[in-house]
């Protein structure tokens, strides 16, 4: 029987330089989409997929992240006294069970693969998920849950996949697809950030993974890859060379690259419009703004 996926790694050690000066004192993962920090979206998605143990790979200057998941007795008592039941519920949804959350430090920025490898002792010898909080995915059924359901059929290792314009291949891990069945693609190889002419396809890896523990062992033995960093893509590709199954999963949903300013802005607009309590005013404002700009042209 396949082991259930109950552990997830959240690599959150990056400096977030693209968002300076905001990230000078606020970790990128605490930046808010509407009213929730990016990391909360990632946690909620993991919970929906059945994740019970949350492993954060952090670095210096990220203590605000640890505080975020703490209980907040003062706020709680103010909200309770004021009868603000909804807000109290919202606050409590940020709490984590005791012992369910662990923090590991990545002491040097040696790449995504290295960050994941730093968590190896907490994962042990079982399949695990990796969620990159920069990739925010709006979906009726959360992306990782879609993948866990597919994984229950396929086993192996699985990465979320999405088509990207060929010119953008050098921003992603790209899959070499062997065969496709519905949303599941069996993968013959994976390349990290190939130049457009070298990309084996336009199917890119998006930041959701279900990985076999062999990937952790591979991370301990592979060489540095693209950008001089230890790449997760290379450790997964090594599994294929070892004769193991690796799949890409074309998820249902819309992905926002919240690691870029433009992606973050797009997500803000999309998530704002999706909120019932904000939609009407916000939509009217956007319509007005666009008409004004068109009239001025
Ligand atoms: C990472 C992975 C890459 C993947 C991407 C998805 O790259 O290394 O394979 O396609 O996330 O967002 P990064 O964006 O950290 O450079």
């Amino acid at each position: 029987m396949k082991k259930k996926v109950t552990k997830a790694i959240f690599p959150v050690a990056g400096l977030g330089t693209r968002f300076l000066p905001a990230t000078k004192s606020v970790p990128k993962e605490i930046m808010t989409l509407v009213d929730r920090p990016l990391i909360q979206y990632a946690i909620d998605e993991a919970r929906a997929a059945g994740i019970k143990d949350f492993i954060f790979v952090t670095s210096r200057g990220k203590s605000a992240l640890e505080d975020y998941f703490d209980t907040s007795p003062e706020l709680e008592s103010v909200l309770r006294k004021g009868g603000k039941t909804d807000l109290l519920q919202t606050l409590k949804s940020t709490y984590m069970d005791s012992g369910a959350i662990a923090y590991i430090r990545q002491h040097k920025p040696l790449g995504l693969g290295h960050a994941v490898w730093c968590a190896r002792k907490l994962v042990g010898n079982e399949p695990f998920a990796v969620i990159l909080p920069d990739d925010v995915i709006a979906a009726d059924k959360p992306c990782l849950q879609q993948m866990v359901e597919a994984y229950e059929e396929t086993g192996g290792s699985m990465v979320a996949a999405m088509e990207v314009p060929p010119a953008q291949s050098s921003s992603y891990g790209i899959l070499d697809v062997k065969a496709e069945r519905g949303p599941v693609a069996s993968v013959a190889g994976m390349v990290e950030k190939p130049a457009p002419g070298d990309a084996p396809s336009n199917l890119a890896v998006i930041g959701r993974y279900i990985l076999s523990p062999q990937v952790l062992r591979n991370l301990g033995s592979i060489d540095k890859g693209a950008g001089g960093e230890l790449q997760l893509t290379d450790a997964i590709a090594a599994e294929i060379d070892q004769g193991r199954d690796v799949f890409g999963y074309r998820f249902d949903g819309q992905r926002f690259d919240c690691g870029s300013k433009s992606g973050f802005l797009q997500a803000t607009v999309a998530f704002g419009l999706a909120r019932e309590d904000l939609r009407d005013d916000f939509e009217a404002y956007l319509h007005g703004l666009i008409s004004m700009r068109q009239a001025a042209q």
Side-chain angles (χ1 to χ4, degrees):
M1 217 184 75
K2 283 185 227 50
K3 269 203 114 170
K4 275 215 169 317
V5 184
T6 58
K7 296 182 177 175
I9 300 176
F10 300 82
V12 290
L15 290 173
T17 48
R18 277 197 265 180
F19 284 93
L20 277 170
T23 44
K24 188 168 163 239
S25 66
V26 180
K28 172 173 71 162
E29 299 77 15
I30 293 287
M31 296 202 326
T32 49
L33 256 187
V34 189
D35 52 11
R36 289 154 71 202
L38 280 189
I39 196 66
Q40 187 68 50
Y41 290 89
I43 291 288
D44 290 347
E45 187 177 330
R47 278 199 178 125
I51 298 299
K52 305 277 182 251
D53 294 312
F54 302 80
I55 304 164
F56 288 81
V57 182
T58 71
S59 60
R60 279 183 299 281
K62 294 276 180 162
S63 45
L65 253 179
E66 301 190 24
D67 293 341
Y68 176 77
F69 290 112
D70 234 322
T71 55
S72 187
E74 300 84 359
L75 257 179
E76 239 183 83
S77 109
V78 169
L79 295 176
R80 193 168 294 116
K81 280 188 196 136
K84 306 233 157 80
T85 332
D86 284 2
L87 284 179
L88 196 61
Q89 233 11 69
T90 305
L91 179 69
K92 287 193 170 170
S93 71
T94 67
Y95 292 178
M96 305 294 278
D97 293 340
S98 297
I101 188 160
Y103 302 95
I104 290 276
R105 286 268 170 133
Q106 184 187 25
H107 294 114
K108 287 185 187 163
L110 299 176
L112 175 61
H114 180 258
V116 168
W117 180 77
C118 287
R120 66 201 178 283
K121 295 204 172 142
L122 291 179
V123 171
N125 194 28
E126 55 185 278
F128 60 101
V130 178
I131 296 190
L132 308 187
D134 273 2
D135 281 335
V136 174
I137 301 173
D140 291 338
K141 185 186 280 186
C143 179
L144 190 65
Q145 189 183 349
Q146 297 175 36
M147 289 171 68
V148 163
E149 288 173 11
Y151 169 82
E152 276 162 12
E153 304 291 318
T154 60
S157 282
M158 182 176 277
V159 300
M162 179 184 103
E163 277 175 29
V164 297
Q168 290 176 17
S169 67
S170 57
S171 299
Y172 296 95
I174 302 287
L175 302 179
D176 181 1
V177 176
K178 191 161 60 178
E180 299 214 47
R181 207 162 141 241
V184 178
S186 12
V187 172
M190 282 169 80
V191 197
E192 181 66 10
K193 303 198 167 82
D198 300 332
S201 76
N202 59 353
L203 200 57
V205 177
I206 298 302
R208 303 288 182 276
Y209 307 77
I210 297 174
L211 300 175
S212 87
Q214 181 63 34
V215 172
L216 294 173
R217 290 189 279 274
N218 291 348
L219 281 169
S221 61
I222 59 172
D223 294 329
K224 286 182 195 162
E229 296 185 339
L230 202 58
Q231 296 293 350
L232 186 57
T233 298
D234 295 344
I236 305 170
E239 274 213 293
I240 305 172
D241 299 337
Q242 290 154 353
R244 294 162 191 270
D245 288 338
V246 174
F247 303 95
Y249 184 82
R250 291 175 187 260
F251 56 93
D252 238 351
Q254 194 181 358
R255 173 257 187 177
F256 296 93
D257 175 11
C258 289
S260 78
K261 286 177 216 180
S262 145
F264 205 108
L265 284 172
Q266 288 166 28
T268 301
V269 173
F271 278 71
L273 286 175
R275 280 273 294 259
E276 255 172 54
D277 55 334
L278 300 171
R279 181 182 301 155
D280 293 348
D281 279 358
F282 190 39
E283 196 169 351
Y285 166 74
L286 289 176
H287 275 305
L289 185 71
I290 289 165
S291 317
M292 238 162 60
R293 292 177 67 98
Q294 281 170 342
Q297 270 166 15

